[in-house]
């Protein structure tokens, strides 16, 4: 039987643990698809302890670990209000990041975290959940489609010197 998945709120004291998990899952997912210098340039500003401590102290940004067999198998970052990277609609939640360690993928952990985000938005009587996803990340796009997300736009995402396109997707509640 599959091990149970627990959702644990990430607190400021977990900043270094979250940073390590974030950096590892990001590189595992995208390093083989991008230029190494662009990855490092992005990582040098996106994955710093100071940035993670700031994000964790923002009352409108909430991080959660998915814990399986006493391991932080993945995490999700939800943004409210002005913490949202765009739109900044008070009636919506942005899923800014959702990442599962490779060895834990395909075990419904991502689904569990996304369901948690959707249920949180329903409980708050929000109108929709939205997110941005790299146009070439077919696995994630299919995952979001399977959960009822549909494309509503796109926006640029700069990785180092590489201007990429993120597809914006939303799920109406
Ligand atoms: C995308 C990601 C979060 C999905 O999490 P996961 O735990 O691997 O996925 P799950 O096991 O929860 O899959 C849940 C459902 O998504 C769908 N799904 C998952 N992968 C899929 C794929 N490759 N194609 C189509 N559907 C897929 C399925 O419907 C599946 O449900 P089912 O097996 O019961 O039918 C995870 O693979 C990941 O971290 N990838 C690397 C980082 C990344 O790309 N993050 C997103 C950045 S925007």
């Amino acid at each position: 039987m599959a091990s149970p998945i627990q959702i644990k709120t990430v607190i400021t004291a977990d900043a270094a643990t979250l940073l390590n998990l974030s950096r590892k899952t990001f590189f595992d997912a995208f390093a083989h698809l991008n230029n190494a210098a662009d990855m490092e340039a992005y990582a040098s500003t996106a994955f710093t302890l100071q940035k993670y401590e700031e994000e964790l102290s923002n009352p409108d940004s909430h991080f959660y670990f998915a814990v399986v067999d006493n391991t932080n198998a993945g995490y999700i970052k939800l943004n409210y209000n002005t913490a949202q990277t765009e739109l900044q609609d008070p009636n919506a939640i942005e899923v800014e990041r959702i990442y599962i360690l490779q060895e834990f993928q395909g075990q419904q952990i991502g689904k569990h975290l996304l369901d948690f985000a959707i249920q949180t938005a329903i409980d708050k009587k929000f109108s929709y959940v939205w997110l941005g996803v790299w146009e070439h990340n077919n696995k994630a796009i299919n995952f979001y489609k399977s959960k009822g997300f549909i494309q509503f736009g796109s926006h640029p995402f700069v990785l180092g010197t590489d201007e990429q396109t993120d597809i914006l997707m939303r799920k109406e509640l």
Side-chain angles (χ1 to χ4, degrees):
M1 199 178 82
S3 300
I5 304 163
Q6 287 178 321
I7 292 182
K8 190 179 132 197
T9 302
V10 182
I11 59 171
T12 311
D14 298 320
T17 304
L18 176 66
L19 172 61
N20 288 337
L21 180 64
S22 300
R23 193 183 156 90
K24 176 171 175 41
T25 51
F26 187 80
F27 272 80
D28 285 351
F30 301 122
H32 65 292
L33 301 170
N34 289 284
N35 177 291
D38 286 333
M39 288 293 290
E40 280 305 334
Y42 176 79
S44 68
T45 56
F47 300 119
T48 69
L49 193 55
Q50 186 188 352
K51 185 149 195 298
Y52 270 71
E53 285 171 347
E54 282 169 13
E55 290 182 16
L56 282 164
S57 64
N58 183 338
D60 283 331
S61 288
H62 298 187
F63 291 85
Y64 301 89
F65 288 128
V67 183
V68 179
D69 293 335
N70 293 317
T71 301
N72 294 324
Y75 76 99
I76 191 168
K77 180 184 183 192
L78 306 183
N79 290 329
Y80 297 84
N81 300 312
T82 55
Q84 294 172 80
T85 57
E86 56 184 271
L87 305 185
Q88 303 185 335
D89 184 338
N91 288 309
I93 291 179
E94 176 191 13
V95 177
E96 186 186 349
R97 296 181 188 270
I98 176 168
Y99 284 83
I100 310 299
L101 282 170
Q102 275 180 339
E103 61 269 35
F104 286 94
Q105 288 177 15
Q107 299 175 30
Q108 311 278 303
I109 300 170
K111 187 172 166 183
H112 199 80
L113 283 175
L114 197 56
D115 283 343
F116 171 77
I118 293 165
Q119 191 56 50
T120 300
I122 290 171
D123 291 346
K124 292 180 182 298
K125 305 200 177 344
F126 285 176
S127 306
Y128 59 97
V129 178
W130 73 275
L131 52 83
V133 52
W134 189 26
E135 61 177 339
H136 299 305
N137 191 352
N138 291 324
K139 179 176 174 180
I141 292 169
N142 287 332
F143 167 63
Y144 300 134
K145 280 184 183 164
S146 77
K147 296 299 301 175
F149 283 76
I150 53 165
Q151 181 174 356
F152 71 94
S154 63
H155 72 176
F157 172 84
V158 181
L159 187 93
T161 59
D162 186 14
E163 185 160 316
Q164 307 185 342
T165 300
D166 275 1
I167 290 173
L168 302 178
M169 302 181 82
R170 66 195 268 166
K171 178 182 172 70
E172 301 293 336
L173 302 175

